Structures are given as C-alpha cells and as structure tokens.
C-alpha cells in the first residue's frame, strides 16, 4: 500500500527514532513543511488508528495531486 509508506531519515529510523510510536504521537510535533514533504494529511483526527482507512484515502489524494503537478 503505497499510501502507507513513508521515507524516514537515518535519525528517524534508527535507535531513538520512530520505532513503534503511534501516528498521532509521531505527527503531533511535525511542522507543516514536514507534513507537506511526506504528503501527510494535516487533519490530526486522521492520524488516529481508528481512522486509518480515511487517512489512506486522504493521503492517496495528496500523492495524486503531487504527481499531477510533477507531470504537467
């Protein structure tokens, strides 16, 4: 599921990084540039596990918009 993948920096992926931090905790302290770079929906309600399907749908839309801009 492409919309569930995210590139992490070495620091984020290494010891003391993301590990098993839940999305609503992980994204809470990220700025708008980070969310935009990773095409993360800005609605914090979508970061909760019970909203996973809605998160994926919103992220797919952001990914499509990003690719559309690249191809024009």
């Amino acid at each position: 599921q492409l919309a569930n993948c995210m590139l992490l920096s070495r620091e984020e992926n290494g010891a003391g990084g993301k590990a098993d931090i839940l999305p609503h905790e992980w994204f809470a302290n990220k700025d708008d540039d980070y969310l935009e770079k990773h095409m993360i929906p800005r609605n914090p309600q979508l970061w909760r596990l019970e909203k996973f399907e809605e998160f994926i749908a919103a992220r797919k839309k952001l990914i499509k918009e990003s690719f559309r801009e690249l191809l024009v």
Side-chain angles (χ1 to χ4, degrees), residues 4-19:
N4 191 33
C5 294
M6 182 175 159
L7 294 176
L8 298 175
S9 69
R10 181 180 309 158
E11 294 78 22
E12 291 172 323
N13 202 33
K18 184 179 179 319

Side-chain angles (χ1 to χ4, degrees), residues 17 19 24-26 33 35 47 54 57-58 63 67 72:
H24 71 274
E25 296 171 356
W26 178 253
D33 288 338
L35 298 176
W47 304 343
E54 292 172 58
I63 291 169
F67 277 99
V72 177

Side-chain angles (χ1 to χ4, degrees), residues 31-45:
D31 62 22
D32 285 342
D33 288 338
Y34 184 93
L35 298 176
E36 185 175 332
K37 175 182 177 182
H38 293 285
M39 294 172 265
I40 303 299
R42 287 197 171 99
N43 180 350
Q45 294 302 312

Side-chain angles (χ1 to χ4, degrees), residues 22-72:
L22 294 171
H24 71 274
E25 296 171 356
W26 178 253
F27 296 133
N29 67 348
K30 305 300 183 209
D31 62 22
D32 285 342
D33 288 338
Y34 184 93
L35 298 176
E36 185 175 332
K37 175 182 177 182
H38 293 285
M39 294 172 265
I40 303 299
R42 287 197 171 99
N43 180 350
Q45 294 302 312
L46 297 179
W47 304 343
R48 307 207 65 81
L49 291 181
E50 60 270 14
K51 298 288 188 173
F52 179 74
E53 295 300 325
E54 292 172 58
F55 171 87
I56 293 298
R59 189 152 189 243
K60 280 182 180 180
K61 184 177 178 182
L62 293 172
I63 291 169
K64 286 178 185 177
E65 289 171 3
S66 178
F67 277 99
R68 187 173 297 121
E69 290 177 18
L70 291 173
L71 296 174
V72 177

